[in-house]
Amino acid sequence: MTPFMSFYRERAASVAQDYYSPNPQKSEPAAKLVARFGITLEMIHAKAAAIEGPNLALFDRLIGNRQTANRVLLNEHERRERRAKKSELKAKRSASSSEVQEPAVKLKLA
């Protein structure tokens, strides 16, 4: 709204606030004023994206980094669980095989 109300910046900010107000008594007159200047919702979104584009890209990078770190942690956790199961299985096998084996010293019967 600032380009259309250059001398009235405070009024332009107020109209923009009222445009997104949940109160219909504020939002409807603001929407009519915005429409009178030929501003569409798509134009508002495009301007917001142009202004906040670098910040949105930063958030996308941060989200990607967190997702990668999360995947690494999950893979490490799964790897540790597999190792624990494998060592548990080895321990069970060695315990069962030691019970079946003959004693190391054989006694002679005379």
Side-chain angles (χ1 to χ4, degrees):
M1 290 302 298
T2 304
F4 299 104
M5 302 177 155
S6 59
F7 295 111
Y8 304 103
R9 287 182 181 248
E10 291 175 12
R11 176 70 180 134
S14 175
V15 169
Q17 256 183 332
D18 291 346
Y19 185 83
Y20 286 105
S21 173
N23 183 354
Q25 292 175 343
K26 289 184 176 182
S27 64
E28 287 176 9
K32 287 179 184 177
L33 181 63
V34 168
R36 193 167 66 202
F37 286 118
I39 300 171
T40 64
L41 187 59
E42 290 80 17
M43 293 169 73
I44 293 170
H45 288 171
K47 184 69 172 181
I51 292 169
E52 297 298 329
N55 294 332
L56 294 175
L58 174 65
F59 279 122
D60 283 342
R61 269 197 319 273
L62 291 173
I63 290 168
N65 289 342
R66 291 295 94 213
Q67 288 172 340
T68 300
N70 192 31
R71 271 194 306 273
V72 168
L73 289 173
L74 287 173
N75 288 340
E76 181 64 27
H77 177 70
E78 289 171 358
R79 189 176 308 119
R80 286 182 182 182
E81 283 184 338
R82 284 193 307 268
R83 284 183 184 168
K85 285 180 183 178
K86 190 175 181 179
S87 63
E88 186 179 305
L89 185 60
K90 280 184 180 180
K92 284 182 182 178
R93 284 182 183 166
S94 67
S96 65
S97 66
S98 65
E99 291 174 3
V100 175
Q101 288 180 354
E102 295 182 24
V105 178
K106 291 186 180 180
L107 299 175
K108 290 185 181 181
L109 296 174

